[in-house]
Amino acid sequence: SQKIEQNSEALNIQEGKTATLTCNYTNYSPAYLQWYRQDPGRGPVFLLLIRENEKEKRKERLKVTFDTTLKQSLFHITASQPADSATYLCALDQTGANNLFFGTGTRLTVIP
Amino acid sequence: DAGVIQSPRHEVTEMGQEVTLRCKPISGHDYLFWYRQTMMRGLELLIYFNNNVPIDDSGMPEDRFSAKMPNASFSTLKIQPSEPRDSAVYFCASSRTGGAQEKLFFGSGTQLSVL
């Protein structure tokens, strides 16, 4: 069956450290993988997109990697801040489809 | 632009009642998606439209659910009759063009509670 698994439901880290979130997928062949941030009571907000032929993408303190052999994406937040506390969702497509499939998310808490 | 607008923000109803959720996508966006979010199952796609035409409704749980998009600026998701297991947050999202290379813009969601 198809699955998108994010490493853990919750992750706590100390301010200033690097947070690393994992997204593993099974029985998908995505051409694109996206990461979203969701705050309580709000809809997800787009952060980054990475294509299957890209190994790494960066945006300010964010970095995403995409390994189609391992079927895994890693999402890093460097120099984390309490304001980074939120739930982070990965989303990917299935070849030929116009819609995205989402993981259940990882709730990140950055402790001051 | 005001973003994707959903109403109501919260809906509490009794089992058996009809529920209508509303969505106004971002102007100029050709695709509109309805998602449902629960703790157990995460974000699930229910249905999506391209230029007001339903393209894929395979995620609609059963016949009690229906969705319409009468014009480019308005869509509804209706549940009739509602059941307690329909309790969830329902999100509407839009994108400029289709395809997974496009980012989705989500509304703030409708928190539905069916008692």
Side-chain angles (χ1 to χ4, degrees), chain B residues 1-15:
Chain B
D1 201 318
V4 176
I5 300 172
Q6 290 187 247
S7 65
R9 285 282 278 135
H10 302 275
E11 177 79 41
V12 180
T13 190
E14 292 191 345
M15 183 173 64

Side-chain angles (χ1 to χ4, degrees), chain B residues 48-59:
Chain B
Y48 76 92
F49 295 82
N50 175 22
N51 289 322
N52 316 336
V53 176
I55 301 301
D56 184 354
D57 65 355
S58 59

